[in-house]
Amino acid sequence: MRRPVFATVLSLLIVLVGAVSFNRLTVREYPKIDEPVVTVSVRYAGASAEVIESQVTKPLEDSIAGIDGVDVITSISRADQGQISERFRLEKDADSAAAEVRDRTSRVCNKLPQAIEEPVIAKVEADAFPVIQLAFSSESLTPLQINDLVNRIVKPRLQTVIGVADVRIFGERKYAMRVWLDTDRLASYRLTTQDVEDAIRRSNLDLPAGRIESQQREFSVTSQTDLLKPAQFGAIVIRTVNGFPVRTATWPGSRRALPTSARWSG
């Protein structure tokens, strides 16, 4: 051996690097790859699965299919909801894919029914299985109070955890006003369910009231136009028949012979 010292030092250096890297380098069987998958979720309350497929899912699929790099498109049409999952090729960036899907979705929004909610576009699969499930119960709090606690405190903290893609609440309870329809009385007034729904939508709105300005002060005006109590829902005018307003009743058991009844529930 012509240079024994150099060969010995080089061999020791290789052994030293290997010993240091043994505990520090991570070993993976497969490379870490973030597969670009974008999901579009649309909610259409009251629509059947056939209506969701023909009026919501199909137009969105036709628009999204033209995006470059799409590998597989799958859709699920359920009652009240439709979901479209687009799986792109691995070389496609997930952020740019989500931006293109959002752009294609906005192009066909004017062709979708007006009653649908705003489409939700996410870079995760809507039908992905949850990794962790947490159950909440209390002997002193009502289900509505538990739901409020989870929404305000638990959910925001879980969403900020590194690696958490989405946090969903199953079995969510919200305050609601339930309206019972008397079909016989509706027919006697020649009214339909859609007439009652339209009347409630027209009366239960949050409208801007503007502001009042003077030389020294400026006041914001708040108008309380939304309905909060059963009596307020009971005073809604559905339609005027022969010069007389047809109103909803206040709650079950009312002596007024009117076509609907409302009750506050949670």
Side-chain angles (χ1 to χ4, degrees):
M1 184 177 295
R2 297 182 179 181
R3 299 179 180 179
V5 178
F6 176 76
T8 303
V9 173
L10 185 60
S11 300
L12 292 176
L13 182 61
I14 294 174
V15 173
L16 179 61
V17 172
V20 173
S21 302
F22 180 78
N23 293 327
R24 296 187 179 182
L25 292 179
T26 58
V27 180
R28 294 192 182 96
E29 183 178 358
Y30 300 104
K32 184 180 180 181
I33 299 175
D34 294 331
E35 191 172 11
V37 178
V38 181
T39 300
V40 180
S41 301
V42 183
R43 180 171 176 78
Y44 187 7
S48 62
E50 292 77 10
V51 174
I52 293 290
E53 181 180 5
S54 61
Q55 298 186 16
V56 178
T57 305
K58 190 63 168 61
L60 288 174
E61 281 185 353
D62 295 340
S63 179
I64 296 173
I67 300 177
D68 182 44
V70 175
D71 188 14
V72 179
I73 296 180
T74 58
S75 64
I76 301 175
S77 298
R78 305 186 181 96
D80 300 337
Q81 189 176 15
Q83 296 174 354
I84 303 174
S85 297
E86 306 85 33
R87 191 180 304 274
F88 293 84
R89 298 187 181 94
L90 295 179
E91 60 269 15
K92 187 76 172 182
D93 182 66
D95 294 330
S96 62
E100 293 183 20
V101 171
R102 190 174 293 107
D103 178 64
R104 290 299 184 97
T105 302
S106 62
R107 293 183 185 180
V108 297
C109 279
N110 57 345
K111 300 180 181 179
L112 302 178
Q114 296 183 354
I116 69 169
E117 297 181 5
E118 186 71 19
V120 179
I121 301 173
K123 292 185 294 183
V124 294
E125 295 190 47
D127 291 334
F129 292 98
V131 179
I132 299 177
Q133 291 184 347
L134 302 177
F136 296 86
S137 62
S138 175
E139 297 180 356
S140 59
L141 300 179
T142 64
L144 289 172
Q145 292 174 336
I146 295 176
N147 183 88
D148 179 67
L149 182 67
V150 172
N151 263 320
R152 291 188 298 103
I153 299 177
V154 179
K155 184 177 180 179
R157 294 188 180 184
L158 291 178
Q159 289 176 330
T160 58
V161 177
I162 299 176
V164 176
D166 190 16
V167 178
R168 304 178 189 176
I169 300 178
F170 298 95
E172 188 174 6
R173 301 289 299 273
K174 295 182 179 180
Y175 291 100
M177 184 66 66
R178 297 184 179 181
V179 178
W180 283 266
L181 301 180
D182 190 335
T183 56
D184 296 334
R185 298 196 179 278
L186 284 174
S188 65
Y189 287 105
R190 296 183 179 180
L191 297 174
T192 63
T193 305
Q194 189 64 40
D195 294 331
V196 179
E197 181 180 354
D198 294 340
I200 295 176
R201 291 183 182 275
R202 290 194 306 266
S203 303
N204 191 23
L205 295 175
D206 291 330
L207 300 177
R211 57 188 178 184
I212 301 175
E213 298 180 358
S214 63
Q215 295 181 353
Q216 297 179 351
R217 296 183 180 182
E218 178 179 332
F219 300 93
S220 297
V221 180
T222 303
S223 60
Q224 296 181 352
T225 56
D226 54 336
L227 306 180
L228 302 177
K229 299 179 179 180
Q232 295 174 338
F233 279 86
I236 296 176
V237 177
I238 303 176
R239 181 186 294 178
T240 301
V241 179
N242 297 327
F244 296 95
V246 179
R247 302 177 183 271
T248 57
T250 52
W251 46 74
S254 175
R255 296 180 180 179
R256 301 169 62 188
L258 298 177
T260 65
S261 58
R263 186 177 64 188
W264 180 260
S265 62

